[in-house]
């Protein structure tokens, strides 16, 4: 092939310009999303939704345009790829992956799927309200059938579910996940039983009092500042469902929810979203405006929110430092409690039916149940008609509780109605990554406990920036874990962490 | 020409789709603008500005695209234009006007002008801070030269300045404006002298106290609700410079500024912006998504903000109803004042140097000075070197005051640095339109004063919706005034209104 360096340079600039433009449209759409949830007046919502639709459509068009296709054909030639910088090479690879995935689905099939999931979400909402699984089942049936069809078009290696896993957690497979989830379940179930039988159960009634919202907000702001969340690159607002959204690395917003009767909800919600935000705020500046300027996977993202929420935020050292501040923030309300009692209360374990209300230990079991059911559905080993019974049986087996209605069972999550099969494992992977990363951090920063007990959290943020945050999507989740901890994902760290933590909490 | 009805129908749909898309991009950009001013974190501003630039560039590209040109060529054929509905016809005419205006300026010249005004704004800011007119003069010189060049390309009828006027106030000309401004000045200057000589000057010291910001905010929200501002289609926030922005007719947001030492600033700022917002919230639903879904001109828009702020909000009837509420909002702070004293205080007249701080009467003189200077500059009858002296002489002549520095004189406004010649007259036109509309309203709603005194403001909003708001840009400013009041713009109404109002305030 006969081409000059200038050809490549011009093409590279053209490619990067499309990527920047896509990022800009995504940024505008993200602001609209944030605004809709934090206070957009309701009569503007309909028109605004069309604006988001338009921007998303344009972004998608750019990602599968002939122009994009030509650039990708050019730069995926081995001799061209070799000339690129590591960042450029990874950019091209990411774009190519998106392009191929989108191009393999015929436009009319994809359009029909978008309509289907939109109807399914509405049907799910109604079905959940009525606890009427039969009303939702036909939609779920179609979504699964379409997903199976898409998997055939996308292709798969080994298990069909691998293709779905790879979307949220690049490189993750059923084989790996079965092994780590299996090891985890083997340890967590008996641990849970020991905790439930423990003589000294933590008191927790004092967490439910009337905690003034304005004071909760002030304390949330204080804790974020202690975490070195950068308020010049973000802000805290209030929404019904807490979330973090990165409009750019210079504008990473978080929201929380203040429950007047529960001091923990906003507090740990804020720390959790703050963890997501620290990740996005600390991505290297050189990745700005590229398709690598975001967290590398759902699992690694969740590891950061859970590291800050659970490993740091629910540790005894953290509360030996901050419980006095919490008492001072709510005068007279926590005077009869000490830091140790508070620490035990916020770590109380109780098997429950609802995932989003689960504690740190049992949460993993909620995820495993969903993972096993998804895998069976996608592989045609479970019919949607049998799903509620299978769900209930697994809850009985893993958690010892059984839903009385499908609303508090199989209908509780939105994910399946939106077609997000393969997403759930990220939550449990996040816990495993967090424990493994925490283990390495403790080895490399032996004074970790003392730092937390003094409220010196900057060295932790800096270590995570170096090992995780700055890389954005330049490294895969597997590379991040290997480079940061020296080994592949290993569930033993989460098992060890949970056992030693809960034996302390329950005085076993 | 051989074409079928289907051809036209398909083309019409294509044209409308571009217009809708342009509106969507404008809506996204407007949200970003609002967000930047109400609390976007500063580290995100740079990237966000690029997003706005990208969206604006795309909108401009669509407005001058070959596709747009072809649609406009088609539908401006007389037999095609005749087949359209009145709304479609006006849409095409508006697009054609924008298209021609944009197309007449060569792209490189326009680009250079954008760079020039961007540099000029920065230079102006610095020059104003230093009170250094000489540092700004070269930029102003170039902006005027370019504007004159553009006028030649756009073409003009009669005076060159007419082309600029027409941009902000379609149909307005120097000939009309000289007549109305002349008549106004002739009456306002002697009236001002009589008021200054009056024996009974209004007390106003009580307006300057420590008014708690949170209470000011509550009162602003209360007054907006009294005006029937629709909070389901808008919201009130705080910014350094108050503004109103219509993202869509279902989302018209306003901002105000709370000065702790001045109860009037936020109060009248809120009513003013609320007036702008009522206009946009009440445009007919059938204009949604078209290029007619906005106020018809700067002058008519300003007439609505000033109608609510001054004609209603500074009337004795309004305060006979609401002064008790104001006293209750600030317990103990206004107990020694009565409604009449308050009404006199907020209508106190005082010639001053700064336009944005001027009272309702002298404001018009500030505008006339700028109009006369602009007209002379654009027509080559005044050199930029002589501008400060000309400015100061006119202030002396019309207002009896003289700037000591150019910062409080010729450098006070941002408009010229951004090239917005022709904009200033809108402010005074707004006052004239407001007085003329108020005169008709009073004839058609004889119980007007009684309604205001009872706080029944809905019939006023409804009358204005019928006569002004609902039409959006479907009618020109001239048509609005003629249809609403039965005659063309007539400055006598403003003169009569000001004379009778101020004779009452000053007990003459």
């Amino acid at each position: 092939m006969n081409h000059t360096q200038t050809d490549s340079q011009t093409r590279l600039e053209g490619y990067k310009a499309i990527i920047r433009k896509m990022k800009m449209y995504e940024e505008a759409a993200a602001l609209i999303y944030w605004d809709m949830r934090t206070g957009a007046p309701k009569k503007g919502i309909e028109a605004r939704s069309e604006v988001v639709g338009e921007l998303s459509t344009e972004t998608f068009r750019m990602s599968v345009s002939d122009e994009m296709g030509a650039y990708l054909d050019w730069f995926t030639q081995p001799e061209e790829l070799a000339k690129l910088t590591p960042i450029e090479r990874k950019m091209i690879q990411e774009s190519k992956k998106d392009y191929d995935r989108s191009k393999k689905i015929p436009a009319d099939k994809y359009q029909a799927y978008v309509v289907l999931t939109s109807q399914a979400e509405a049907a799910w909402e109604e079905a959940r309200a009525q606890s009427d699984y039969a009303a939702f089942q036909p939609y779920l049936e179609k979504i699964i059938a379409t997903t199976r069809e898409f998997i055939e078009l996308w292709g798969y290696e080994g298990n069909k579910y691998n293709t779905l896993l790879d979307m949220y957690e690049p490189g993750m497979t059923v084989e790996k996940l079965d092994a780590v989830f299996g090891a985890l379940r083997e340890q967590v179930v008996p641990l849970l039983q020991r905790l439930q039988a423990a003589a000294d159960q933590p008191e927790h009634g004092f967490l439910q009092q009337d905690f003034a919202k304005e004071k909760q907000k002030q304390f949330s702001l204080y804790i974020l500042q202690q975490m070195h969340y950068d308020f010049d690159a973000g802000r805290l607002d209030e929404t019904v469902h807490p979330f973090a959204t990165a409009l750019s690395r210079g504008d990473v917003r978080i929201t929380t929810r203040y429950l007047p009767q529960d001091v923990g909800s906003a507090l740990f919600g804020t720390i959790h979203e703050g963890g997501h935000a620290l990740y996005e705020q600390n991505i290297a500046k050189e990745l700005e405006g590229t398709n690598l300027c975001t967290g590398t996977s759902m699992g690694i993202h969740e590891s950061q929110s859970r590291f800050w929420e659970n490993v740091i935020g629910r540790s005894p050292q953290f509360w030996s430092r901050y419980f006095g501040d919490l008492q001072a923030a709510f005068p007279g309300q926590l005077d009869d409690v000490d830091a140790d009692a508070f620490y035990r209360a916020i770590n109380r374990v109780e098997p429950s039916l609802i995932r989003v209300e689960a504690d740190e230990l049992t949460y993993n079991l909620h995820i495993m149940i969903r993972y096993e059911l998804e895998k069976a559905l996608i592989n045609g080993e479970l019919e949607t008609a049998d799903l509620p019974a299978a769900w209930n049986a697994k809850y009985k087996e893993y958690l010892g509780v059984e839903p009385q209605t499908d609303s508090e069972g199989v209908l509780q999550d939105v994910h399946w109605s939106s077609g997000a099969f393969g997403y759930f494992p990220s939550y449990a992977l996040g816990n495993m990554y967090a424990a493994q990363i925490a283990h390495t951090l403790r080895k490399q920063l032996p004074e970790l406990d003392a730092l937390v007990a003094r409220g010196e959290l900057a060295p932790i943020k800096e270590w995570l920036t170096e090992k995780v945050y700055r890389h954005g999507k330049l490294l895969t989740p597997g590379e991040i874990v290997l480079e940061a901890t020296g080994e592949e994902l290993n569930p033993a760290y989460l098992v060890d962490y949970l056992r030693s933590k809960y034996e302390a909490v329950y005085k076993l």
Side-chain angles (χ1 to χ4, degrees), chain A:
Chain A
M1 208 172 289
N2 181 2
H3 58 266
T4 67
Q5 188 59 32
T6 316
D7 275 346
S8 287
Q9 201 49 42
T10 308
R11 284 187 169 95
L12 195 58
E13 280 158 21
Y15 162 72
K16 285 182 181 174
I18 301 184
I19 294 292
R20 264 198 311 277
K21 192 165 172 176
M22 287 169 62
K23 291 293 284 187
M24 288 182 195
Y25 280 49
E26 285 167 6
E27 183 167 339
L31 178 65
I32 294 175
Y33 177 93
W34 173 86
D35 181 68
M36 277 191 185
R37 276 148 192 85
T38 54
K42 64 181 185 187
K43 290 185 183 171
I45 296 293
E46 199 182 318
R48 195 67 40 77
S49 302
E50 288 177 28
V51 177
V52 174
E54 181 64 36
L55 292 169
S56 307
T57 303
E58 276 301 321
T59 312
F60 182 76
R61 259 184 221 156
M62 287 185 251
S63 77
V64 296
S65 63
D66 293 344
E67 200 184 353
M68 177 64 90
Y71 288 135
L72 295 177
D73 282 347
W74 182 264
F75 287 110
T76 48
Q77 299 175 103
E79 72 277 18
E80 287 297 327
L81 202 59
K83 280 189 264 171
L84 299 176
T85 67
I87 289 176
E88 289 162 352
R89 198 174 305 136
K90 185 73 180 178
M91 286 176 71
I92 291 287
Q93 287 161 346
E94 278 298 309
S95 293
K96 175 74 175 154
K97 199 167 169 177
D98 291 345
Y99 180 86
D100 286 346
R101 189 149 53 209
S102 301
K103 278 290 193 181
K104 281 180 182 165
I105 309 296
D108 58 335
K109 272 196 203 301
Y110 185 73
Q111 187 52 37
Y113 178 70
V114 170
V115 173
L116 170 63
T117 52
S118 153
Q119 292 168 340
E121 280 192 57
W124 164 77
E125 218 164 294
E126 180 67 17
R128 188 178 64 159
Q130 306 295 325
S131 201
D132 180 6
Y133 175 75
F136 176 56
Q137 195 201 326
Y139 293 95
L140 184 60
E141 183 77 35
K142 274 188 221 166
I143 288 174
I144 291 169
T146 312
T147 304
R148 286 162 56 92
E149 204 180 331
F150 285 4
I151 292 172
E152 297 297 333
L153 292 165
W154 284 323
Y156 60 94
E157 285 177 35
N159 197 295
K160 289 183 184 179
Y161 191 76
N162 286 343
T163 294
L164 303 178
L165 275 177
D166 187 71
M167 282 186 194
Y168 302 104
E169 204 60 22
M172 186 51 61
T173 64
V174 162
E175 294 69 28
K176 289 183 198 173
L177 210 48
D178 281 345
V180 294
F181 276 6
L184 187 61
R185 196 183 59 223
E186 217 166 85
Q187 304 283 336
V188 165
V189 173
L191 175 60
L192 174 59
Q193 288 161 354
R194 284 175 61 214
L195 300 181
Q196 289 185 278
D200 193 350
Q201 296 285 324
E203 283 293 322
H204 60 96
F206 53 81
L207 296 177
Q208 273 79 48
Q209 300 181 47
D210 197 359
F211 294 100
K213 185 172 134 173
E214 188 51 38
K215 289 176 186 170
Q216 289 199 49
K217 183 176 165 186
Q218 288 312 313
F219 199 77
S220 282
L221 289 168
Y222 169 65
I223 290 294
L224 283 173
Q225 172 245 311
Q226 292 294 303
M227 288 169 68
H228 301 278
Y229 172 81
D230 183 354
F231 282 96
D232 285 339
R235 49 182 286 170
L236 175 67
D237 292 271
E238 185 185 355
T239 51
V240 179
H241 301 290
F243 66 90
T245 179
L247 311 181
S248 68
R249 58 188 284 289
D251 189 354
V252 186
R253 303 182 184 193
I254 61 183
T255 72
T256 196
R257 177 181 55 167
Y258 304 103
L259 295 183
Q261 291 296 324
D262 176 5
V263 74
S265 175
L267 181 53
F268 293 104
T270 300
I271 301 176
H272 180 98
E273 303 307 335
H276 281 303
L278 285 184
Y279 191 173
E280 297 281 340
Q281 284 185 337
N282 292 288
I283 293 173
K285 189 165 170 51
E286 58 183 347
L287 298 181
E288 203 167 45
T290 75
N291 53 349
L292 309 179
C293 196
T294 180
T296 189
S297 73
M298 293 299 153
I300 296 291
H301 232 306
E302 201 66 15
S303 80
Q304 294 314 301
S305 54
R306 282 160 193 263
F307 173 85
W308 284 99
E309 178 191 350
N310 293 328
V311 179
I312 303 297
R314 294 188 201 263
S315 69
Q317 294 78 23
F318 188 83
W319 290 107
S320 78
R321 165 65 188 82
Y322 291 109
F323 186 66
D325 293 338
L326 187 71
Q327 284 178 313
F330 300 98
Q333 295 195 252
L334 294 166
D335 291 358
D336 301 337
V337 185
D338 65 15
D340 185 62
F342 185 77
Y343 153 72
R344 295 188 70 206
I346 59 172
N347 283 298
R348 195 174 70 102
V349 161
E350 189 178 32
S352 65
L353 293 168
I354 306 296
R355 176 183 59 87
V356 296
E357 293 164 8
D359 56 75
E360 188 183 351
L361 181 71
T362 60
Y363 194 95
N364 300 295
L365 299 172
H366 289 262
I367 295 306
M368 285 180 217
I369 291 170
R370 286 158 178 76
Y371 164 64
E372 291 170 16
L373 296 172
E374 284 192 352
K375 199 172 50 160
L377 288 165
I378 294 298
N379 284 297
E381 294 155 4
L382 175 65
E383 297 302 318
T384 56
D386 304 326
L387 181 60
W391 177 286
N392 293 355
K394 284 201 185 281
Y395 263 81
K396 182 83 184 158
E397 182 190 351
Y398 294 180
L399 284 153
V401 295
E402 215 170 349
Q404 296 307 302
T405 69
D406 287 335
S407 288
E408 55 178 26
V410 70
L411 288 174
Q412 71 183 263
D413 298 305
V414 69
H415 301 59
W416 290 343
S417 73
S418 70
F421 287 90
Y423 189 111
F424 278 123
S426 314
Y427 297 116
L429 286 168
N431 287 332
M432 289 188 252
Y433 289 138
Q436 185 165 338
I437 288 168
H439 177 85
T440 308
L441 171 63
R442 188 176 295 279
K443 274 198 304 190
Q444 295 186 6
L445 205 70
E447 71 280 26
L448 179 63
D449 284 348
L451 287 170
V452 175
R454 289 200 304 270
E456 292 174 23
L457 307 178
I460 302 171
K461 191 202 82 173
E462 283 152 22
W463 190 90
L464 290 167
T465 297
E466 173 64 23
K467 302 292 183 183
V468 182
Y469 302 164
R470 68 186 175 95
H471 301 298
K473 225 171 171 157
L474 188 56
L475 300 182
T476 64
E479 288 165 345
I480 293 270
V481 173
L482 190 60
E483 291 194 15
T485 71
E487 61 177 310
E488 290 196 351
L489 180 63
N490 180 345
Y493 296 106
L494 180 58
V495 169
D496 289 350
Y497 160 82
L498 291 171
R499 187 185 305 117
S500 80
K501 172 171 188 169
Y502 284 106
E503 284 178 353
V505 170
Y506 280 79
K507 303 186 188 287
L508 291 175

